[in-house]
Amino acid sequence: MADDGARRRALVLALSLTWVVVLTATQWFADGRLVVVPWLALAAFVASLYTSWRATSLVAGLATAAVALLSADAGDLPGRDGLVRVAGSAALALVAVLSAHVRARREEHVRQVTEVATVAQTAILPPVPARVGHLGLASRYRSASAHALVGGDLFDVVATGDAVRVVLGDVRGKGLPAVHTAAAVLSAFRHDAPLADVGLAELARRVEASVAPRLGAEDFVTAVLCEVGPDGSLGVVLCGHPAPLRVGADGVVTPVGAHRSPPLGLGVDPLVETTRLGGRDRLLLFTDGLAEARDAAGRFFDVEAAAAVLAAGDDLDAALERLLEDVREHAGGRIDDDLALLLLQRRAAA
């Protein structure tokens, strides 16, 4: 990206200088009154949009010198008309240089703010490790908000004793309020999930109790909480969230969990539903940004049918990328909602 910007600036500078030279030569060898002066000033303003103030100064100085040279050749210097023309060109050149300076300072400020925001957002939702305890993991996150790394979707994984606990959720709404709520959910989960004496249902209640005071009257968070034991035992609590999908090695896809508790913030009624995760089974957790992706005809993405692709190969990350490519293709490359995906599988002890 930085190299692209440097190449673009170099190209604009070269074109601006060429523009001045070509116009000056054309006027020099042509007869008649001066007609290129306004076009010479244009070069400095074009340069000011992309290059530094120093580079703009080079173009502006060359353009002003060209005006002086052409005015002298036309016999207008040191006459009044020539002096006015040169002074006007110099004034426009100065405005172009100042414009480049102001633009560069603004871009630097935006860059610094972006770097701070990137660090802050990464702290809220750090990348999920490739392995936690006995689980291999892969994740993907796509924010619907422009220039944002995170939005209202969330996920995290923590070890608790011999088991591993997972949360994935979706905050109602978008923008900074949703990010704040997502951060609060993750903070509560990270605080209580490592406690082995806190069951999965109690964990859901504690997360809601921590988050509820921050929520507005119409705000809520859908979430799924999972606990995977080293023997493959799987507990699932659904809080108004789509059920995870178990993908067998044969590609058979089965939803895990049917009890529909209200979301966090609306009075959760958690029930732990249990099953087993085979050694070659994979479990996909996802937010509704996946299920609600539409094609040009308005058809929703068929998650259960598409999830069969996750059974192929040993690389969880590559499998999840294939699913993401499928949904992007279905939606024509545009996904209008936050999207979070988490894929996990039991792994043998290292």
Side-chain angles (χ1 to χ4, degrees):
M1 187 68 71
D3 290 343
D4 290 343
R7 283 194 291 267
R8 182 171 61 250
R9 289 189 294 272
L11 177 61
V12 170
L13 176 60
L15 291 176
S16 298
L17 292 172
T18 302
W19 178 259
V20 173
V21 172
V22 170
L23 284 182
T24 302
T26 301
Q27 182 69 63
W28 182 267
F29 293 108
D31 294 327
R33 64 189 183 87
L34 294 179
V35 296
V36 300
V37 171
W39 300 103
L40 286 170
L42 181 63
F45 282 100
V46 171
S48 73
L49 296 176
Y50 297 96
T51 67
S52 68
W53 68 268
R54 292 182 178 84
T56 302
S57 297
L58 176 62
V59 177
L62 183 62
T64 303
V67 171
L69 177 65
L70 294 173
S71 296
D73 181 63
D76 293 338
L77 280 179
R80 176 178 176 277
D81 289 346
L83 291 174
V84 170
R85 187 182 298 121
V86 172
S89 297
L92 290 175
L94 180 60
V95 171
V97 173
L98 290 175
S99 176
H101 179 61
V102 171
R103 191 212 79 245
R105 290 187 62 182
R106 184 181 298 114
E107 288 179 349
E108 176 62 18
H109 176 71
V110 170
R111 184 190 65 79
Q112 292 176 356
V113 170
T114 301
E115 287 181 354
V116 172
T118 299
V119 172
Q121 292 179 105
T122 304
I124 293 172
L125 193 68
V128 169
R131 183 162 186 153
V132 176
H134 56 276
L135 290 185
L137 300 136
S139 63
R140 289 292 186 278
Y141 195 105
R142 297 293 182 271
S143 173
S145 299
H147 310 300
L149 297 180
V150 299
D153 287 3
L154 59 100
F155 52 67
D156 204 2
V157 182
V158 300
T160 172
D162 292 333
V164 177
R165 287 178 171 175
V166 179
V167 64
L168 183 139
D170 185 355
V171 179
R172 179 184 179 275
K174 292 182 174 64
L176 285 178
V179 174
H180 291 159
T181 301
V185 172
L186 290 171
S187 177
F189 175 78
R190 292 163 183 165
H191 181 270
D192 290 320
L195 305 177
D197 59 336
V198 176
L200 208 56
E202 177 60 21
L203 178 60
R205 296 188 187 95
R206 290 193 179 194
V207 172
E208 180 184 55
S210 178
V211 174
R214 305 169 181 263
L215 300 177
E218 298 181 357
D219 295 334
F220 58 85
V221 183
T222 70
V224 52
L225 296 134
C226 298
E227 179 175 293
V228 185
D231 60 351
S233 59
L234 172 63
V236 175
V237 168
L238 299 177
C239 302
H241 199 85
L245 300 178
R246 179 173 52 198
V247 183
D250 55 0
V252 175
V253 179
T254 308
V256 179
H259 176 72
R260 295 294 177 177
S261 162
L264 303 173
L266 297 181
V268 292
D269 178 25
L271 174 67
V272 180
E273 300 177 83
T274 59
T275 184
R276 291 190 64 81
L277 195 63
R280 299 182 63 191
D281 290 344
R282 292 175 172 179
L283 189 69
L284 173 68
L285 289 75
F286 59 95
T287 55
D288 59 11
L290 182 67
E292 294 179 0
R294 300 181 186 230
D295 63 12
R299 293 185 294 261
F300 290 111
F301 185 65
D302 190 338
V303 181
E304 289 193 31
V309 72
L310 299 174
D314 295 327
D315 190 333
L316 292 175
D317 199 67
L320 201 53
E321 187 60 33
R322 284 194 296 271
L323 179 63
L324 193 57
E325 289 174 359
D326 287 346
V327 70
R328 279 195 295 249
E329 181 179 354
H330 175 83
R334 178 178 178 179
I335 300 176
D336 295 324
D337 195 5
D338 293 335
L339 173 61
L341 304 173
L342 190 59
L343 183 66
L344 58 88
Q345 182 178 15
R346 291 169 57 202
R347 297 298 193 194

